[in-house]
Amino acid sequence: MGLLSLGSVFTGMKQNESFVFRVNASSEIGFGHLVRCSALAEAIYGNGGKIVFATNYPNEIKKTIKSFKYKILDLSNFSPFSQEELKF
């Protein structure tokens, strides 16, 4: 299976179409994922897209990328499972 090219995303993209990136990143985990998603977000934003980053670590992202200009959806107080259900 081939990778989706950005050109094909932009071809079918409508102005002001929203894209949500689900990223957990801190100084200990996920930094590379955040950087890669930020690069994709920049390309989409440059072609008229709206960008939202959904994360459990909103303050870490703001500290890590000083010029972060996208909306951040704070998921730190949201869990679809209780803490007991998350214990294995």
Side-chain angles (χ1 to χ4, degrees):
M1 178 191 303
L3 294 175
L4 177 68
S5 73
L6 284 179
S8 64
V9 171
F10 299 143
T11 300
M13 194 174 104
K14 299 174 186 146
Q15 282 298 104
N16 294 319
E17 190 168 359
S18 295
F19 292 81
V20 178
F21 289 86
R22 176 65 170 93
V23 178
N24 275 346
S26 70
S27 58
E28 296 159 5
I29 64 161
F31 184 75
H33 183 60
L34 172 62
V35 170
R36 289 185 295 277
C37 287
S38 294
L40 289 170
E42 186 65 31
I44 292 168
Y45 180 79
N47 280 276
K50 291 182 180 178
I51 305 297
V52 176
F53 276 75
T55 182
N56 288 39
Y57 304 100
N59 294 330
E60 290 288 331
I61 288 178
K62 289 177 191 173
K63 279 193 292 187
T64 303
I65 300 180
K66 303 287 187 218
S67 62
F68 201 79
K69 60 186 171 190
Y70 307 113
K71 181 177 179 181
I72 296 177
L73 178 61
D74 183 354
L75 301 178
S76 60
N77 293 319
F78 173 77
S79 175
F81 304 101
S82 70
Q83 291 301 313
E84 286 301 312
E85 291 174 302
L86 294 175
K87 293 180 183 174
F88 294 92

Coordinates of all heavy atoms in Angstrom, one line a residue:
M1 N 0.8 -1.2 0.0 CA 0.0 0.0 0.0 C 0.9 1.2 0.0 O 1.8 1.3 0.8 CB -0.9 0.0 1.3 CG -1.8 1.2 1.3 SD -2.6 1.5 2.9 CE -3.5 0.0 3.1
G2 N 0.6 2.2 -0.9 CA 1.4 3.4 -0.9 C 1.0 4.4 0.1 O -0.1 4.4 0.7
L3 N 1.8 5.4 0.4 CA 1.5 6.5 1.3 C 0.6 7.5 0.6 O 0.8 7.7 -0.6 CB 2.8 7.1 1.8 CG 3.7 6.3 2.6 CD1 5.0 7.1 2.9 CD2 3.0 5.9 3.9
L4 N -0.2 8.1 1.4 CA -1.1 9.2 0.9 C -0.2 10.4 0.6 O 0.5 10.9 1.5 CB -2.1 9.5 1.9 CG -3.1 10.7 1.6 CD1 -4.0 10.3 0.4 CD2 -3.9 11.0 2.8
S5 N -0.2 10.9 -0.6 CA 0.6 12.1 -0.9 C -0.1 13.4 -0.5 O -1.4 13.4 -0.5 CB 1.0 12.2 -2.3 OG -0.1 12.5 -3.1
L6 N 0.6 14.4 -0.1 CA 0.0 15.7 0.3 C -0.7 16.3 -0.9 O -1.7 16.9 -0.8 CB 1.0 16.6 0.8 CG 1.4 16.4 2.3 CD1 2.4 17.4 2.7 CD2 0.2 16.4 3.2
G7 N -0.2 16.0 -2.1 CA -0.9 16.6 -3.3 C -2.3 16.1 -3.4 O -3.2 16.8 -3.8
S8 N -2.5 14.8 -3.1 CA -3.9 14.3 -3.2 C -4.8 14.8 -2.1 O -6.0 15.0 -2.3 CB -3.9 12.7 -3.2 OG -3.4 12.3 -2.0
V9 N -4.2 15.2 -1.0 CA -5.0 15.8 0.1 C -5.4 17.2 -0.4 O -6.6 17.6 -0.2 CB -4.2 15.9 1.4 CG1 -4.9 16.8 2.4 CG2 -3.9 14.5 2.0
F10 N -4.5 17.9 -0.9 CA -4.8 19.3 -1.3 C -5.8 19.4 -2.5 O -6.6 20.3 -2.6 CB -3.5 20.1 -1.7 CG -2.6 20.2 -0.5 CD1 -1.2 20.1 -0.7 CD2 -3.0 20.4 0.8 CE1 -0.3 20.3 0.4 CE2 -2.2 20.5 1.9 CZ -0.8 20.4 1.6
T11 N -5.7 18.4 -3.4 CA -6.6 18.4 -4.6 C -8.0 18.3 -4.2 O -8.9 19.0 -4.7 CB -6.2 17.2 -5.5 OG1 -4.9 17.3 -5.9 CG2 -7.1 17.1 -6.7
G12 N -8.3 17.5 -3.2 CA -9.7 17.3 -2.8 C -10.1 18.2 -1.6 O -11.2 18.1 -1.1
M13 N -9.2 19.0 -1.1 CA -9.4 19.8 0.1 C -10.3 21.0 -0.2 O -10.1 21.7 -1.2 CB -8.1 20.2 0.7 CG -8.2 20.7 2.1 SD -6.5 21.0 2.8 CE -6.5 22.8 2.7
K14 N -11.2 21.3 0.7 CA -12.0 22.5 0.6 C -11.4 23.6 1.5 O -10.8 23.3 2.5 CB -13.5 22.2 1.1 CG -14.2 21.2 0.3 CD -15.5 20.8 0.9 CE -16.1 19.7 0.1 NZ -16.9 18.8 0.9
Q15 N -11.6 24.8 1.1 CA -11.1 26.0 1.9 C -11.8 25.8 3.3 O -13.0 25.5 3.4 CB -11.5 27.3 1.3 CG -10.6 27.7 0.2 CD -9.1 27.9 0.6 OE1 -8.3 27.0 0.4 NE2 -8.8 29.0 1.3
N16 N -11.0 26.1 4.3 CA -11.5 26.1 5.7 C -11.9 24.7 6.2 O -12.6 24.6 7.2 CB -12.6 27.1 6.0 CG -12.2 28.5 5.8 OD1 -11.1 28.9 6.2 ND2 -13.0 29.3 5.1
E17 N -11.5 23.7 5.5 CA -11.7 22.3 6.0 C -10.9 22.1 7.2 O -9.7 22.5 7.3 CB -11.4 21.3 4.9 CG -11.8 19.9 5.2 CD -11.7 19.0 4.0 OE1 -11.3 19.4 2.9 OE2 -12.1 17.8 4.2
S18 N -11.5 21.4 8.2 CA -10.8 21.2 9.5 C -10.0 19.9 9.5 O -10.5 18.9 9.0 CB -11.8 21.3 10.7 OG -12.3 22.5 10.8
F19 N -8.9 19.9 10.1 CA -8.0 18.7 10.3 C -7.7 18.6 11.8 O -7.2 19.6 12.4 CB -6.8 18.8 9.5 CG -7.0 18.6 8.0 CD1 -7.4 19.8 7.3 CD2 -6.9 17.4 7.4 CE1 -7.7 19.7 5.9 CE2 -7.2 17.3 6.0 CZ -7.6 18.5 5.3
V20 N -7.9 17.5 12.4 CA -7.5 17.3 13.8 C -6.3 16.3 13.9 O -6.4 15.2 13.3 CB -8.7 16.7 14.6 CG1 -8.3 16.5 16.1 CG2 -9.9 17.7 14.6
F21 N -5.3 16.7 14.6 CA -4.1 15.9 14.9 C -4.2 15.5 16.3 O -4.2 16.3 17.2 CB -2.8 16.6 14.6 CG -2.6 16.9 13.1 CD1 -3.1 18.0 12.5 CD2 -1.8 16.0 12.4 CE1 -2.9 18.3 11.2 CE2 -1.6 16.2 11.0 CZ -2.1 17.4 10.4
R22 N -4.2 14.2 16.6 CA -4.2 13.6 17.9 C -2.8 13.3 18.3 O -2.2 12.4 17.8 CB -5.1 12.4 18.0 CG -5.1 11.7 19.3 CD -5.7 12.6 20.4 NE -6.0 11.9 21.6 CZ -5.2 11.9 22.6 NH1 -4.0 12.5 22.6 NH2 -5.5 11.2 23.7
V23 N -2.2 14.1 19.2 CA -0.8 14.0 19.5 C -0.6 14.1 21.0 O -1.1 15.0 21.7 CB 0.0 15.2 18.9 CG1 1.5 15.1 19.2 CG2 -0.1 15.2 17.4
N24 N 0.1 13.1 21.6 CA 0.6 13.2 23.0 C 2.1 13.4 22.9 O 2.8 12.6 22.3 CB 0.2 12.0 23.8 CG -1.2 12.1 24.4 OD1 -1.8 13.2 24.4 ND2 -1.7 11.0 24.9
A25 N 2.6 14.5 23.4 CA 4.0 14.8 23.3 C 4.4 15.5 24.5 O 3.8 16.4 25.0 CB 4.3 15.6 22.1
S26 N 5.6 15.1 25.1 CA 6.2 15.8 26.2 C 7.7 15.7 26.0 O 8.1 15.2 25.0 CB 5.7 15.1 27.5 OG 6.3 13.8 27.6
S27 N 8.4 16.1 27.0 CA 9.9 16.0 26.9 C 10.3 14.6 26.9 O 11.5 14.3 26.6 CB 10.5 16.8 28.1 OG 10.1 16.3 29.3
E28 N 9.4 13.6 27.3 CA 9.8 12.2 27.4 C 9.3 11.3 26.3 O 9.9 10.3 26.0 CB 9.3 11.7 28.8 CG 10.0 12.4 29.9 CD 9.3 12.3 31.2 OE1 8.3 11.6 31.3 OE2 9.7 12.9 32.2
I29 N 8.1 11.7 25.8 CA 7.5 10.9 24.7 C 7.0 11.7 23.6 O 6.6 12.8 23.8 CB 6.4 10.0 25.3 CG1 5.2 10.9 25.8 CG2 6.8 9.0 26.4 CD1 3.9 10.2 25.9
G30 N 6.9 11.1 22.4 CA 6.2 11.7 21.3 C 6.7 12.9 20.6 O 6.0 13.5 19.8
F31 N 7.9 13.4 20.9 CA 8.3 14.6 20.3 C 8.5 14.5 18.8 O 8.1 15.4 18.1 CB 9.7 15.1 20.9 CG 10.1 16.4 20.4 CD1 9.5 17.6 20.9 CD2 11.1 16.5 19.5 CE1 9.9 18.8 20.4 CE2 11.5 17.7 19.0 CZ 10.9 18.9 19.4
G32 N 9.0 13.4 18.3 CA 9.1 13.2 16.9 C 7.7 13.2 16.2 O 7.6 13.8 15.1
H33 N 6.8 12.6 16.8 CA 5.4 12.6 16.3 C 4.8 14.0 16.2 O 4.2 14.4 15.2 CB 4.5 11.7 17.2 CG 3.1 11.5 16.7 ND1 2.8 10.9 15.5 CD2 2.0 11.9 17.3 CE1 1.5 10.9 15.4 NE2 1.0 11.5 16.5
L34 N 5.1 14.8 17.2 CA 4.6 16.2 17.2 C 5.3 17.0 16.1 O 4.6 17.7 15.4 CB 4.9 16.8 18.6 CG 4.7 18.3 18.7 CD1 3.2 18.7 18.4 CD2 5.2 18.9 20.0
V35 N 6.6 16.8 15.9 CA 7.3 17.5 14.8 C 6.8 17.1 13.5 O 6.5 18.0 12.6 CB 8.8 17.3 15.0 CG1 9.5 17.8 13.8 CG2 9.3 17.9 16.2
R36 N 6.6 15.8 13.2 CA 6.1 15.4 11.9 C 4.6 15.9 11.7 O 4.3 16.4 10.6 CB 6.1 13.9 11.8 CG 7.5 13.3 11.7 CD 7.5 11.8 11.5 NE 7.0 11.1 12.6 CZ 7.8 10.7 13.7 NH1 9.0 11.1 13.8 NH2 7.2 10.0 14.7
C37 N 3.8 15.8 12.7 CA 2.4 16.3 12.6 C 2.4 17.8 12.4 O 1.6 18.3 11.6 CB 1.6 16.0 13.8 SG 1.2 14.2 13.9
S38 N 3.3 18.5 13.0 CA 3.4 20.0 12.8 C 3.8 20.3 11.4 O 3.3 21.3 10.8 CB 4.4 20.6 13.8 OG 4.0 20.5 15.1
A39 N 4.7 19.6 10.8 CA 5.1 19.8 9.4 C 3.9 19.6 8.5 O 3.6 20.4 7.5 CB 6.2 18.9 9.0
L40 N 3.1 18.5 8.7 CA 1.9 18.3 7.9 C 0.9 19.4 8.1 O 0.3 19.8 7.2 CB 1.3 16.9 8.3 CG 2.0 15.7 7.9 CD1 1.4 14.4 8.5 CD2 2.0 15.5 6.3
A41 N 0.7 19.8 9.4 CA -0.2 20.8 9.7 C 0.1 22.1 9.0 O -0.8 22.8 8.4 CB -0.3 21.1 11.2
E42 N 1.4 22.4 8.9 CA 1.9 23.7 8.3 C 1.5 23.6 6.8 O 1.0 24.6 6.2 CB 3.4 23.8 8.4 CG 3.9 25.1 7.9 CD 3.4 26.4 8.7 OE1 3.1 26.3 9.9 OE2 3.2 27.4 8.0
A43 N 1.7 22.5 6.1 CA 1.4 22.4 4.7 C -0.1 22.5 4.5 O -0.6 23.2 3.6 CB 1.9 21.0 4.2
I44 N -0.9 21.9 5.3 CA -2.4 21.9 5.2 C -2.9 23.3 5.5 O -3.7 23.9 4.7 CB -3.1 20.9 6.1 CG1 -2.7 19.5 5.7 CG2 -4.6 21.1 6.2 CD1 -3.1 18.4 6.7
Y45 N -2.4 24.0 6.5 CA -2.7 25.3 6.9 C -2.4 26.3 5.7 O -3.2 27.2 5.4 CB -2.0 25.7 8.1 CG -2.3 27.1 8.6 CD1 -3.4 27.4 9.3 CD2 -1.4 28.2 8.4 CE1 -3.7 28.7 9.8 CE2 -1.6 29.4 8.9 CZ -2.8 29.7 9.6 OH -3.0 31.0 10.0
G46 N -1.2 26.1 5.1 CA -0.8 26.9 4.0 C -1.7 26.8 2.8 O -1.7 27.6 1.9
N47 N -2.5 25.7 2.7 CA -3.4 25.5 1.6 C -4.9 25.8 2.0 O -5.8 25.3 1.4 CB -3.3 24.1 1.1 CG -2.1 24.0 0.2 OD1 -2.2 24.3 -1.0 ND2 -0.9 23.6 0.7
G48 N -5.0 26.5 3.1 CA -6.4 26.9 3.5 C -7.1 26.1 4.5 O -8.3 26.3 4.8
G49 N -6.4 25.1 5.1 CA -7.1 24.2 6.1 C -7.0 24.8 7.5 O -6.2 25.7 7.8
K50 N -8.0 24.4 8.3 CA -8.0 24.8 9.8 C -7.4 23.6 10.5 O -7.7 22.5 10.3 CB -9.4 25.0 10.2 CG -10.1 26.3 9.7 CD -11.5 26.4 10.3 CE -12.2 27.6 9.7 NZ -13.5 27.8 10.2
I51 N -6.6 23.9 11.5 CA -5.8 22.9 12.2 C -6.2 22.9 13.7 O -6.2 24.0 14.3 CB -4.3 23.1 12.1 CG1 -3.9 23.2 10.6 CG2 -3.5 22.1 12.8 CD1 -4.2 21.9 9.8
V52 N -6.4 21.7 14.3 CA -6.6 21.6 15.7 C -5.7 20.4 16.2 O -5.6 19.4 15.5 CB -8.0 21.3 16.1 CG1 -8.2 21.0 17.6 CG2 -9.0 22.4 15.6
F53 N -5.0 20.6 17.3 CA -4.2 19.6 17.9 C -4.9 19.1 19.2 O -5.2 20.0 20.0 CB -2.8 20.0 18.2 CG -1.8 19.9 17.1 CD1 -1.9 20.8 16.0 CD2 -0.9 18.9 17.0 CE1 -1.0 20.7 14.9 CE2 0.0 18.8 15.9 CZ -0.1 19.7 14.9
A54 N -5.3 17.9 19.3 CA -5.9 17.3 20.5 C -4.8 16.6 21.2 O -4.2 15.7 20.7 CB -7.1 16.4 20.1
T55 N -4.7 16.9 22.5 CA -3.6 16.3 23.3 C -3.9 16.3 24.8 O -4.7 17.0 25.3 CB -2.3 17.2 23.1 OG1 -1.2 16.5 23.8 CG2 -2.5 18.6 23.5
N56 N -3.2 15.4 25.5 CA -3.3 15.3 26.9 C -2.3 16.2 27.6 O -2.3 16.4 28.8 CB -3.1 13.9 27.4 CG -4.2 13.0 27.1 OD1 -4.8 13.1 26.0 ND2 -4.5 12.1 28.0
Y57 N -1.3 16.8 26.8 CA -0.2 17.6 27.3 C -0.2 19.0 26.6 O 0.8 19.3 26.0 CB 1.1 16.9 27.1 CG 1.2 15.5 27.7 CD1 1.0 14.4 26.9 CD2 1.4 15.3 29.0 CE1 1.0 13.1 27.4 CE2 1.5 14.0 29.6 CZ 1.3 12.9 28.8 OH 1.3 11.7 29.3
P58 N -1.2 19.8 26.8 CA -1.2 21.1 26.1 C -0.1 22.0 26.5 O 0.5 22.7 25.6 CB -2.6 21.7 26.4 CG -3.0 21.0 27.7 CD -2.4 19.6 27.6
N59 N 0.2 22.1 27.7 CA 1.3 23.0 28.2 C 2.7 22.5 27.7 O 3.5 23.4 27.4 CB 1.3 23.1 29.7 CG 0.0 23.7 30.2 OD1 -0.6 24.6 29.5 ND2 -0.4 23.4 31.4
E60 N 2.9 21.2 27.6 CA 4.2 20.7 27.0 C 4.3 21.1 25.6 O 5.4 21.5 25.2 CB 4.2 19.2 27.2 CG 4.4 18.7 28.6 CD 5.8 19.0 29.2 OE1 6.7 19.1 28.4 OE2 5.8 19.2 30.4
I61 N 3.3 21.0 24.8 CA 3.3 21.4 23.4 C 3.6 22.9 23.3 O 4.5 23.3 22.5 CB 2.0 21.0 22.7 CG1 2.0 19.5 22.5 CG2 2.0 21.7 21.3 CD1 0.7 19.0 21.9
K62 N 3.0 23.7 24.1 CA 3.2 25.2 24.0 C 4.6 25.5 24.4 O 5.2 26.4 23.8 CB 2.2 25.9 24.9 CG 0.8 25.9 24.3 CD -0.1 26.5 25.3 CE -1.6 26.3 24.9 NZ -2.5 26.8 26.0
K63 N 5.2 24.8 25.4 CA 6.6 25.0 25.8 C 7.5 24.5 24.8 O 8.6 25.2 24.5 CB 6.9 24.3 27.1 CG 6.4 25.1 28.3 CD 7.0 24.5 29.6 CE 6.5 23.1 29.9 NZ 6.9 22.6 31.2
T64 N 7.3 23.4 24.1 CA 8.2 22.8 23.2 C 8.3 23.6 21.9 O 9.4 23.8 21.4 CB 7.7 21.3 22.9 OG1 7.7 20.6 24.1 CG2 8.7 20.7 21.9
I65 N 7.1 24.0 21.4 CA 7.1 24.8 20.1 C 6.6 26.2 20.5 O 5.4 26.4 20.6 CB 6.2 24.1 19.1 CG1 6.8 22.7 18.8 CG2 6.2 24.9 17.8 CD1 6.0 21.9 17.8
K66 N 7.5 27.1 20.7 CA 7.2 28.4 21.1 C 6.3 29.2 20.1 O 5.5 29.9 20.5 CB 8.5 29.3 21.3 CG 9.5 28.7 22.2 CD 9.0 28.8 23.7 CE 10.1 28.3 24.6 NZ 9.7 27.6 25.7
S67 N 6.5 28.9 18.8 CA 5.7 29.6 17.8 C 4.4 28.8 17.4 O 3.9 29.0 16.4 CB 6.5 29.9 16.6 OG 6.9 28.7 16.0
F68 N 4.0 27.9 18.3 CA 2.8 27.1 18.0 C 1.6 28.0 17.8 O 1.2 28.7 18.7 CB 2.6 26.1 19.1 CG 1.8 24.9 18.7 CD1 2.4 23.8 18.0 CD2 0.4 24.8 18.9 CE1 1.7 22.7 17.6 CE2 -0.3 23.7 18.5 CZ 0.3 22.7 17.8
K69 N 1.0 27.9 16.6 CA -0.1 28.8 16.3 C -1.4 28.2 16.1 O -2.4 28.9 15.7 CB 0.3 29.6 15.0 CG 0.5 28.7 13.8 CD 1.0 29.6 12.6 CE 1.4 28.7 11.5 NZ 2.1 29.4 10.5
Y70 N -1.5 26.9 16.3 CA -2.8 26.2 16.1 C -3.6 26.1 17.4 O -3.1 26.1 18.5 CB -2.5 24.8 15.5 CG -1.6 24.9 14.3 CD1 -0.3 24.4 14.3 CD2 -2.0 25.5 13.1 CE1 0.5 24.5 13.2 CE2 -1.2 25.6 12.0 CZ 0.0 25.1 12.1 OH 0.8 25.2 11.0
K71 N -4.9 25.9 17.2 CA -5.8 25.7 18.3 C -5.4 24.3 19.0 O -5.1 23.4 18.3 CB -7.2 25.7 17.9 CG -8.2 25.5 19.0 CD -9.6 25.5 18.4 CE -10.6 25.3 19.6 NZ -12.0 25.3 19.2
I72 N -5.4 24.3 20.3 CA -5.2 23.1 21.0 C -6.4 22.7 21.8 O -6.9 23.5 22.6 CB -4.0 23.3 22.0 CG1 -2.7 23.6 21.2 CG2 -3.8 22.0 22.9 CD1 -1.5 23.8 22.1
L73 N -6.8 21.5 21.6 CA -7.9 20.9 22.4 C -7.3 20.1 23.5 O -6.6 19.1 23.3 CB -8.8 20.0 21.4 CG -10.0 19.3 22.1 CD1 -11.0 20.3 22.6 CD2 -10.6 18.4 21.0
D74 N -7.6 20.5 24.7 CA -7.0 19.9 25.9 C -7.8 18.7 26.3 O -9.0 18.8 26.7 CB -7.0 20.9 27.1 CG -6.4 20.4 28.4 OD1 -6.0 19.2 28.4 OD2 -6.3 21.2 29.3
L75 N -7.2 17.5 26.2 CA -7.9 16.3 26.6 C -7.4 15.7 28.0 O -7.7 14.6 28.3 CB -7.6 15.2 25.5 CG -8.0 15.5 24.1 CD1 -7.6 14.4 23.2 CD2 -9.5 15.7 24.1
S76 N -6.6 16.6 28.7 CA -6.0 16.1 29.9 C -7.0 15.7 31.0 O -6.7 14.8 31.8 CB -5.0 17.1 30.5 OG -5.7 18.3 30.8
N77 N -8.2 16.2 31.0 CA -9.2 15.8 31.9 C -10.2 14.9 31.4 O -11.3 14.6 32.0 CB -9.9 17.1 32.5 CG -9.0 17.9 33.3 OD1 -8.2 17.4 34.1 ND2 -9.0 19.2 33.1
F78 N -10.0 14.4 30.2 CA -10.9 13.5 29.5 C -10.4 12.1 29.5 O -9.2 11.9 29.1 CB -11.2 13.9 28.1 CG -12.1 13.0 27.3 CD1 -13.4 12.9 27.5 CD2 -11.5 12.1 26.4 CE1 -14.2 12.0 26.8 CE2 -12.3 11.2 25.7 CZ -13.6 11.1 25.9
S79 N -11.1 11.1 29.9 CA -10.7 9.7 29.8 C -12.0 8.9 29.5 O -13.0 9.0 30.3 CB -10.1 9.2 31.1 OG -9.8 7.9 30.9
P80 N -12.0 8.2 28.5 CA -13.2 7.3 28.2 C -13.3 6.1 29.1 O -14.3 5.5 29.2 CB -13.0 6.9 26.7 CG -11.5 6.9 26.6 CD -11.0 8.1 27.4
F81 N -12.2 5.9 29.9 CA -12.2 4.8 30.9 C -11.9 5.4 32.3 O -11.3 6.4 32.4 CB -11.0 3.9 30.5 CG -11.1 3.3 29.1 CD1 -10.3 3.8 28.1 CD2 -12.0 2.3 28.8 CE1 -10.4 3.4 26.8 CE2 -12.1 1.8 27.5 CZ -11.3 2.3 26.5
S82 N -12.4 4.7 33.3 CA -12.1 5.1 34.6 C -10.6 4.7 34.9 O -10.0 3.8 34.2 CB -13.0 4.4 35.6 OG -12.7 3.0 35.7
Q83 N -10.0 5.3 35.9 CA -8.7 5.0 36.3 C -8.5 3.5 36.7 O -7.5 2.9 36.4 CB -8.2 5.8 37.4 CG -8.0 7.3 37.0 CD -7.0 7.4 35.9 OE1 -5.9 6.9 35.9 NE2 -7.4 8.2 34.9
E84 N -9.6 2.9 37.3 CA -9.5 1.5 37.6 C -9.5 0.6 36.4 O -8.8 -0.4 36.3 CB -10.7 1.1 38.5 CG -10.7 1.6 39.9 CD -9.4 1.1 40.6 OE1 -9.2 -0.1 40.6 OE2 -8.7 1.9 41.2
E85 N -10.2 1.0 35.3 CA -10.2 0.2 34.1 C -8.9 0.2 33.4 O -8.5 -0.7 32.6 CB -11.3 0.7 33.2 CG -12.7 0.4 33.7 CD -13.7 1.0 32.8 OE1 -13.7 2.3 32.6 OE2 -14.6 0.3 32.3
L86 N -8.1 1.3 33.6 CA -6.8 1.4 33.0 C -5.7 0.7 33.6 O -4.6 0.5 33.1 CB -6.4 2.9 32.9 CG -7.3 3.8 32.0 CD1 -6.9 5.3 32.1 CD2 -7.3 3.3 30.6
K87 N -5.9 0.1 34.8 CA -4.9 -0.7 35.5 C -5.0 -2.1 35.0 O -6.0 -2.7 35.0 CB -5.2 -0.6 37.0 CG -4.9 0.7 37.6 CD -5.2 0.7 39.1 CE -5.1 2.1 39.7 NZ -5.4 2.2 41.1
F88 N -3.8 -2.6 34.6 CA -3.7 -4.0 34.1 C -3.1 -4.9 35.1 O -2.2 -4.6 35.8 CB -2.9 -4.0 32.8 CG -3.6 -3.3 31.7 CD1 -3.3 -1.9 31.4 CD2 -4.5 -4.0 30.9 CE1 -4.0 -1.3 30.4 CE2 -5.1 -3.3 29.8 CZ -4.9 -2.0 29.6

